[in-house]
């Protein structure tokens, strides 16, 4: 029998998250790899989901999403960013942001088109682009003054006549960078000069620290009409398993994305949509407390990792801390993370798997801090065995 998997997907086996989470279970290690909290979201929101199930909201909701959620998203975009979106034609509810990215790329890219993404990038981006038979063009982010950033000249040089879109993730997973207005302006000007669409993954929009401002690319002059703005409830409300996301964009772009999305999952779970609509209106104070707590956890983990011998870069957002493993005498993050459960009883993620040019990220390892304090403390205690 010939290889059943189509050639364009053969490079995408089991994700690194599945591999490392399975390793954590097999070895009884602490999992600081996959980015999911070990506590639940706001209780009143969870109650709304239970009430929705009990009241019969268990059949197909409308294809674009429950109207109440689309209205709540519209209110949220207007209140926080001054970006009005019409619930009737400019908002689409999706099964998480991952589906929103995939549907957007499939809808907007022809075979052979090029999509620029900043590496290291979230692994679903490459898979979505491959499914569309398009080509990912990676622009490398490098540490500079304690944070990862990109070279504007390298970004401009990456654009060719085949470039269709730029995929922008800010706050950025896995580096923790929150793009500045200056960085976003470079992207915006390039999109307008070259007629490009921007697809923005903003799932960590409410999880930026130290007073750093998250600026949606769509708020920059001339960008609302060419931006597919994506977010979700998973990270904002600590319900990553609900897989409730959304797209905000002009009608033509939303229609294109929905045309594809309807044949992927048709529609998204109604009870979660109703609960998220409630949360967007009533639980943002809870989110502010979550953000403050995560900032403390970030600092707690950074201090512990530094004491364990890692060189640590301070993230401005997300759930993740990037570390340089070379001070500990290691040079290959993939090798180290596969050995780490045996060496220290901890699981992490090798950053190099998120690069088209893995040699540029071979010495970085990512740790998640969206865990209980006692879990972070125990993990740090175990990691100190490495320096010994």
């Amino acid at each position: 029998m010939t290889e059943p998997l189509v050639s364009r997907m053969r490079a995408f086996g089991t994700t690194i998250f599945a591999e490392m989470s399975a390793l954590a279970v097999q070895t009884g290690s602490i999992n600081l790899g996959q980015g999911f909290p070990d506590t639940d979201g706001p209780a009143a929101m969870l109650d709304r989901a239970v009430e929705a199930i009990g009241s019969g909201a268990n059949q197909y909701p409308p294809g674009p999403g429950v109207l109440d959620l689309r209205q709540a998203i519209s209110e949220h975009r207007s209140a926080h960013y001054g970006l009005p979106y019409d619930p009737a034609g400019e908002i689409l509810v999706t099964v998480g942001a991952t589906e929103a990215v995939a549907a957007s790329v499939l809808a907007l890219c022809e075979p052979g088109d090029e999509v620029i993404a900043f590496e290291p990038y979230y692994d679903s981006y490459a898979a979505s682009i491959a499914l569309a038979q398009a080509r990912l063009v990676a622009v490398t982010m490098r540490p500079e003054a304690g944070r990862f950033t990109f070279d504007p000249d390298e970004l401009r040089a990456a654009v060719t006549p085949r470039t269709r879109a730029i995929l922008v993730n800010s706050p950025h997973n896995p580096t923790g960078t929150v793009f500045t207005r200056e960085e976003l302006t470079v992207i915006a000007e390039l999109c307008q000069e070259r007629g490009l669409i921007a697809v923005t993954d903003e799932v960590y929009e409410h999880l930026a620290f130290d007073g750093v401002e998250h600026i949606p690319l769509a708020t920059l002059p001339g960008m609302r009409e060419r931006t597919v703005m994506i977010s979700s409830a998973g990270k904002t409300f600590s319900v990553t398993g609900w897989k409730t996301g959304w797209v905000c964009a002009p009608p033509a772009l939303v229609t294109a994305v929905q045309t594809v999305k309807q044949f992927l999952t048709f529609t998204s779970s109604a009870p979660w949509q109703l609960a998220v609509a409630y949360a967007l209106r009533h639980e943002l104070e809870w989110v502010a407390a979550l953000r403050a707590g995560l900032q403390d956890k970030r600092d707690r983990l950074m201090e512990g990792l530094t004491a364990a011998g890692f060189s640590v870069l301070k993230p401005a957002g997300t759930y993740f801390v990037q570390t340089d493993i070379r001070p500990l005498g290691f040079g290959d993050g993939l090798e180290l993370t596969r050995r780490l459960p045996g060496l220290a009883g901890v699981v992490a993620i090798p950053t190099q798997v998120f690069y088209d040019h893995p040699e540029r990220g071979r010495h970085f390892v990512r740790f998640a801090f969206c865990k209980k304090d006692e879990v972070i403390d125990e993990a740090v205690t175990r990691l100190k065995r490495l320096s010994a």
Side-chain angles (χ1 to χ4, degrees):
M1 182 178 178
T2 59
E3 167 63 56
L5 183 63
V6 295
S7 60
R8 64 182 177 276
M9 295 303 294
R10 289 176 193 166
F12 303 95
T14 301
T15 71
I16 193 66
F17 304 110
E19 177 185 346
M20 292 301 168
S21 291
L23 192 58
V25 172
Q26 291 165 11
T27 60
S29 297
I30 294 174
N31 189 352
L32 297 188
Q34 195 165 3
F36 57 84
D38 53 9
T39 54
D40 277 334
M45 180 188 73
L46 304 181
D47 289 342
R48 289 302 189 282
V50 173
E51 291 170 10
I53 292 170
S55 64
N58 301 302
Q59 308 308 324
Y60 293 127
V66 172
L67 179 58
D68 190 40
L69 176 54
R70 285 182 279 136
Q71 290 172 332
I73 293 166
S74 177
E75 295 161 12
H76 178 273
R77 302 289 102 166
S78 292
H80 285 267
Y81 306 125
L83 285 173
Y85 286 96
D86 183 357
E90 295 189 315
I91 298 174
L92 170 67
V93 179
T94 60
V95 181
T98 301
E99 185 195 39
V101 170
S104 297
V105 172
L106 287 165
L108 301 173
C109 293
E110 298 285 0
D113 281 352
E114 295 174 350
V115 179
I116 293 173
F118 296 94
E119 68 172 0
Y121 50 75
Y122 183 59
D123 63 347
S124 83
Y125 297 170
S128 298
I129 292 165
L131 283 168
Q133 300 184 61
R135 175 174 174 263
L136 189 153
V137 177
V139 172
T140 305
M141 298 175 67
R142 298 178 179 86
E144 183 179 302
R147 66 188 289 273
F148 283 81
T149 187
F150 63 90
D151 182 333
D153 290 334
E154 288 186 9
L155 175 60
R156 294 185 187 100
V159 178
T160 76
R162 297 294 304 177
T163 306
R164 173 64 168 162
I166 300 180
L167 218 171
V168 182
N169 175 209
S170 180
H172 184 266
N173 174 15
T175 69
T177 287
V178 178
F179 284 155
T180 64
R181 186 173 296 277
E182 291 72 23
E183 289 166 329
L184 293 169
T185 297
V186 171
I187 298 169
E189 290 176 349
L190 189 58
C191 286
Q192 293 173 76
E193 290 168 7
R194 303 301 292 271
L196 307 179
I197 295 171
V199 178
T200 62
D201 178 352
E202 303 178 40
V203 297
Y204 293 99
E205 61 183 312
H206 288 291
L207 302 183
F209 310 127
D210 305 314
V212 173
E213 181 186 11
H214 165 62
I215 304 169
L217 185 62
T219 62
L220 272 64
M223 288 306 295
R224 185 193 184 280
E225 57 265 36
R226 61 175 65 250
T227 299
V228 177
M229 186 183 190
I230 294 170
S231 194
S232 81
K235 305 303 191 300
T236 298
F237 298 110
S238 294
V239 283
T240 59
W242 282 17
K243 300 300 296 177
T244 303
W246 48 85
V247 167
C248 297
L253 291 174
V254 166
T255 298
V257 177
Q258 186 178 350
T259 300
V260 171
K261 182 263 190 293
Q262 68 186 334
F263 296 112
L264 297 176
T265 57
F266 182 57
T267 190
S268 310
S269 300
W272 317 143
Q273 292 192 48
L274 292 166
V276 172
Y278 168 84
L280 283 171
R281 293 186 175 112
H282 302 288
E283 295 292 351
L284 292 183
E285 287 187 10
W286 182 94
V287 174
L290 170 69
R291 178 169 57 251
L294 283 170
Q295 181 173 315
D296 290 342
K297 292 176 186 294
R298 176 204 62 179
D299 295 344
R300 191 185 201 97
L301 180 58
M302 287 178 60
E303 181 180 351
L305 291 170
T306 301
F310 293 89
S311 177
V312 181
L313 289 105
K314 187 176 185 178
T318 76
Y319 284 166
F320 309 110
V321 169
Q322 284 291 335
T323 64
D324 189 329
I325 61 176
R326 290 175 294 185
L328 285 163
F330 299 99
D332 188 315
L334 183 57
E335 178 187 359
L336 174 61
T337 53
R338 285 175 171 161
R339 293 177 57 200
L340 202 54
L343 292 171
V346 175
V347 162
I349 296 292
T351 309
Q352 68 204 72
V353 301
F354 304 129
Y355 285 78
D356 274 13
H357 309 90
E359 70 281 359
R360 298 177 184 175
R362 184 163 283 123
H363 51 284
F364 294 119
V365 168
R366 190 193 82 173
F367 292 90
F369 54 83
C370 51
K371 309 295 179 181
K372 295 175 183 175
D373 288 350
E374 56 267 31
V375 173
I376 294 173
D377 291 344
E378 176 60 23
V380 165
T381 298
R382 296 183 183 190
L383 286 167
K384 289 178 180 177
R385 300 173 193 170
L386 295 175
S387 57

